Amino acid sequence: MLTRTEARKIALALPQAKEADHHGRPSFRVNDKVFATFWDDATMNIMVDEAMTHRASERFPRACQPFQWGSRIAALNVRLSEIEADVLRDLLHIAWTRTAPKGLRDRAK
C-alpha cells in the first residue's frame, strides 16, 4: 500500500523527472513530456503502452485498470492502496523510458 507522497518520491527519483501542473492535476515529466499524472488522491495514471496496460491489468487486477480517454486506452490507472512500491517503480520506469530522450535513457542504464 502506497501513499501519494510515496508515489511522488518514486516518480521524482527517475533521472531529470519534474513535477508540473497538467490540466489542474500534478503530472510527472521528463523533457517536458508527461509520463504519469495523479488522477486523484488515490490513483495515478501511468503512460505505458497499450500492451503493457493489458499485461499489468491482468497481473495486478486489484491495482491496475486501463484508463480510457474517448475510444482509446490512454494510460494505466493504478490504485495506490493496492500496488507494491517495486511494481509502481517498474511501471513508472517503463513510462519514463518511453518519454525520455535517447541520450538520457542511455546515460540512465
Side-chain angles (χ1 to χ4, degrees):
M1 177 173 159
L2 290 173
T3 65
R4 187 171 163 146
T5 299
E6 292 165 327
R8 175 179 277 113
K9 285 180 186 177
I10 293 169
L12 292 173
L14 292 160
Q16 296 184 21
K18 300 201 180 334
E19 185 173 342
D21 180 76
H22 183 69
H23 303 288
R25 291 186 169 92
S27 72
F28 301 93
R29 300 167 182 252
V30 61
N31 200 35
D32 290 326
K33 296 181 182 175
V34 175
F35 65 89
T37 63
F38 281 121
W39 187 249
D40 55 33
D41 287 340
T43 60
M44 182 178 239
N45 286 341
I46 302 175
M47 283 53 175
V48 294
D49 65 21
E50 194 168 332
M52 179 55 70
T53 297
H54 289 298
R55 283 195 299 274
S57 297
E58 289 169 9
R59 185 159 181 212
F60 307 103
R62 291 176 53 123
C64 300
Q65 298 294 317
F67 181 79
Q68 293 281 142
W69 191 262
S71 63
R72 71 179 189 91
I73 295 174
L76 177 67
N77 184 261
V78 178
R79 281 187 292 282
L80 299 175
S81 64
E82 299 292 334
I83 197 86
E84 297 293 329
D86 60 334
V87 176
L88 183 68
R89 190 174 292 108
D90 289 346
L91 291 168
L92 286 168
H93 185 265
I94 291 165
W96 177 91
T97 300
R98 293 182 69 221
T99 307
K102 183 180 182 328
L104 181 58
R105 290 191 315 261
D106 291 345
R107 289 191 306 272
K109 287 183 181 179

